[in-house]
Amino acid sequence: MEEENGAGVEGKAPLSEKEKLSRLNKRHQKEARKKRRVLLVVVLLALCVLAVGAILDIPYINVAREAGSWIGDRFASPDDGEEDAPEYLFFTDPQSAGEFEGEVSVLLGVYTGTGAQAERELIYLMLYTYDRDTGGGEAYLVPESSVAYNASGQQVDLARTLREEGGEDLLRSTVSNIAGTEVDYLLLVEFWEAVRLLQGLGPPAAVLAENTVFVNPVNGETNFLVAGQEVKDADRLLFYLMATDRSDTWAAFDARGERAGTYLPEFFYALQPYGLEELGGMLSSLGDGYLLDPGTGSATGDSDYIASMLQAFAGLDGGALAIKAVPAVEVLNGCGVPDLGKKVGDRLNSLGVPVAGTGGNAKVTVDGEEINDFTHEVSTIIYRSVDPRAEAFARYLGVLLTVTDVVSEPGPGPEIILIAGRDLAV
């Protein structure tokens, strides 16, 4: 009996341990449930805060909105929002295969003379620039009478740079200085080659708003056109766009810019429906009267690159092609020497610089009254426009005249002002 009782006592011990373990497990489970509830509450509060931050776009707590935008930008298809900026063949250098960044520019030069190098003369220069960052474009008219300095340090008009040794490089570098941008491509086309290429594109007609008289840039003949007349043939279109009245150079240059501003947007708009292959087909008449640098080394490859340039500018949104020209310079007498403004203006004209006026005097305000300021011993060039082109041309002008004082004074009025000091009266 005692053994049985002893055995009975020993048999109850494991039950007591189980009970203790059971109580411990229950306590652990209760604590775990409590921790989960606290964690859940914290997560819910955090989600609420982030939701409020995203809805109200509160700085530092709008993580959800920013994360959503980040994910959306990377996984959105073109149909989900704005399309990616278009890529064009001419964004890639045909020789190095490197990609051009930022502004990609093409300097178009039309020349006459198909014989020896010494006979070639440029009759038209336009710098086309496509801005990859903004998706905008610009056509910048440069006078071929602008001055360059050859390897010997002598002045030569841009019109005659092709007659110089290394003339293409001289042309590119000078226009780069004038416009303040790198010239990525040089496209030189002989006039009748340009006529064939333009004819292949089927350009729209130009309708004259008023009676027009212009001089044929190839042979100097005078052409008379009447208001309402349509100019359809490719050769006459080029005559119309490039004509220069040599008796009044800068009035004709202004007219060139106005014609370009009227016609070029319409011209590129007419090319919008065509893709690269179709434009290449339109340029199939490309002969050997051209130079594309850098080029592909083959007429077919060069044709594709030229077609890509046309395609890019045709693809610009309406109004995204700005038509500009080098700014005219107003000359002010800053030292009182008689007729100094006119003398400096004549010198600028001889250097191929457009002049807006030469009869004014530099002014200064004293006690609220504006009086002549003839205290300038040293000349100053002021550019008022914030356009980088204006600054570049002002600095180019400073090199031409050996004027080192080139300053920015943003404001209305002429883009560039030259205050002629005593140093220019010598």
Side-chain angles (χ1 to χ4, degrees), residues 224-300:
F224 300 89
L225 303 177
V226 298
Q229 182 175 348
E230 286 191 347
V231 181
K232 296 180 180 179
D233 298 335
D235 56 344
R236 297 194 72 195
L237 275 173
L238 288 179
F239 289 155
Y240 168 73
L241 290 172
M242 301 178 185
T244 298
D245 184 349
R246 293 175 176 82
S247 64
D248 191 356
T249 302
W250 297 120
F253 184 72
D254 290 342
R256 253 194 205 183
E258 292 174 3
R259 291 171 190 164
T262 300
Y263 185 74
L264 287 181
E266 181 181 357
F267 168 73
F268 284 117
Y269 180 79
L271 299 179
Q272 279 189 343
Y274 304 110
L276 180 62
E277 186 174 346
E278 293 170 298
L279 287 172
M282 294 177 179
L283 300 176
S284 59
S285 63
L286 184 67
D288 57 2
Y290 79 98
L291 168 70
L292 178 64
D293 182 30
T296 65
S298 73
T300 301

Side-chain angles (χ1 to χ4, degrees), residues 208-223:
L208 303 181
E210 58 186 5
N211 294 341
T212 304
V213 179
F214 63 82
V215 176
N216 182 322
V218 176
N219 57 24
E221 293 180 355
T222 301
N223 290 259

